[in-house]
Amino acid sequence: MKARTVFLVLLTAGVVGTAAWLVFFSPVLGVRSIEIVGNITVPSERIKQQAGVPDLHPLATVNLADVESRVLDIRQLATAKVDRIWPGTLKIQVVEREPVAAIAAGGKFAIIDKQGVVIEVKNSVPPMLPLLKVDNPATGDPVMTAALQVVQAVPDVIAGRLRQVRAGTAEGVTLELSDGRTVIWGGPDRPEEKARILTSLLKREKAVTLYDVSSPDVVTLK
């Protein structure tokens, strides 16, 4: 009985050891493919290269947090989530940053997202993006944050005509439209009311050049 018990213990240990070797050290269960999901403008090959996971690296020992961190070094990406799919696939799901405005920077234009993060730098302002003018164009600056909140609040029917957004204070955001009309929006408060009123006024009051909706209760036209 003792010999049989010893044999079974050794056999079990051998099986466990072999299984552990297959999972943690062997290329048998290594990374054979990397699946990229959610990217639109960033090429999949660029994300795979940035992930830095060699072919056949044991899937079980891939440090998912490290891969996510490396992938997020691509500034066009807002989020990244990495998962293992057995037996040999690494899935990387990303969300790209959405450009909402441009800021003049040293003769070029920095394209930023809703949080003020620079996505890329271009020689000119892309079509359909407004030029943002603030005194301190830095991520987290309260004036810039307010201006970007206003850009997000502008209704779609007006967003296509929005050419410039100026803000000297967080409560003093002004919009310049492509047809020359100006909108004093004020602060980022009560965005739905301001958007609704402005949309209605732009349809009815076509001869007006200045719309002040900073206080939705008392709208001024000039």
Side-chain angles (χ1 to χ4, degrees), residues 31-206:
V31 177
R32 299 181 180 276
S33 65
I34 298 179
E35 179 185 357
I36 309 298
V37 179
N39 58 315
I40 300 173
T41 63
V42 181
S44 295
E45 286 304 317
R46 182 183 177 192
I47 298 174
K48 291 178 183 178
Q49 184 178 13
Q50 191 68 31
V53 179
D55 289 342
L56 301 182
H57 180 97
L59 185 59
T61 63
V62 174
N63 189 313
L64 303 186
D66 284 352
V67 175
E68 290 176 359
S69 179
R70 289 194 293 269
V71 168
L72 285 178
D73 283 339
I74 301 175
R75 59 186 177 183
Q76 288 94 334
L77 300 180
T79 65
K81 185 176 186 300
V82 183
D83 293 303
R84 300 181 181 89
I85 299 179
W86 299 98
T89 298
L90 196 67
K91 180 179 179 180
I92 304 177
Q93 186 166 356
V94 300
V95 174
E96 295 186 358
R97 296 187 183 278
E98 181 180 353
V100 299
I103 294 180
K108 295 183 180 296
F109 297 91
I111 310 305
I112 61 175
D113 71 353
K114 63 183 180 181
Q115 296 174 326
V117 176
V118 176
I119 300 173
E120 57 184 329
V121 177
K122 289 184 173 291
N123 293 322
S124 60
V125 180
M128 306 304 289
L129 283 187
L131 180 64
L132 181 62
K133 291 188 175 182
V134 293
D135 293 334
N136 182 30
T139 303
D141 177 76
V143 178
M144 182 169 173
T145 298
L148 290 173
Q149 288 175 340
V150 171
V151 171
Q152 292 289 293
V154 172
D156 292 340
V157 294
I158 299 172
R161 291 181 279 169
L162 185 58
R163 289 295 170 265
Q164 185 171 288
V165 179
R166 293 183 285 107
T169 67
E171 300 299 321
V173 182
T174 299
L175 315 177
E176 301 289 343
L177 305 185
S178 58
D179 58 10
R181 289 186 280 185
T182 300
V183 178
I184 300 175
W185 187 279
D189 59 306
R190 302 171 70 180
E192 294 84 4
E193 293 176 70
K194 293 178 181 180
R196 184 179 66 256
I197 292 171
L198 180 59
T199 300
S200 176
L201 289 174
L202 288 173
K203 290 179 180 178
R204 293 188 291 106
E205 307 292 342
K206 297 185 181 298

